[in-house]
């Protein structure tokens, strides 16, 4: 797996799909998003893509929040 990298929010906006493809291909392990030089978010690919669609029946979905 590749190493992590840091990008600005404007670059994320411009290159979002490319960055997601690089994460998916494991070219980078994580991408830290900054705004005005301060970290505001970290993007990582899931260990297993099935994690994204796995049902979580014992955990209610709160309004406005995604499940883990």
């Amino acid at each position: 797996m590749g190493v992590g990298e840091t990008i600005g929010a404007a670059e994320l906006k411009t290159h979002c799909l490319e960055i997601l493809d690089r994460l998916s291909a494991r070219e980078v392990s994580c991408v830290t998003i900054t705004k005005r030089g301060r970290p505001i978010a970290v993007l990582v690919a899931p260990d297993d893509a099935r994690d994204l669609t796995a049902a979580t029946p014992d955990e209610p979905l709160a309004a406005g929040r995604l499940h883990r």
Side-chain angles (χ1 to χ4, degrees):
M1 181 182 292
V3 296
E5 63 181 52
T6 300
I7 63 168
E11 185 177 353
L12 173 67
K13 185 177 176 181
T14 303
H15 300 285
C16 182
L17 295 177
E18 176 187 336
I19 292 164
L20 294 176
D21 287 343
R22 292 182 66 210
L23 279 165
S24 178
R26 305 289 199 243
E27 293 174 14
V28 293
S29 59
C30 67
V31 178
T32 301
I33 311 302
T34 62
K35 192 169 185 181
R36 296 186 180 112
R38 300 179 76 187
I40 59 168
V42 177
L43 297 175
V44 295
D47 291 333
D48 185 340
R50 292 175 292 188
D51 290 345
L52 297 176
T53 58
T56 55
D58 60 338
E59 186 178 329
L61 179 62
R65 295 185 61 186
L66 297 175
H67 74 280
R68 292 183 251 140

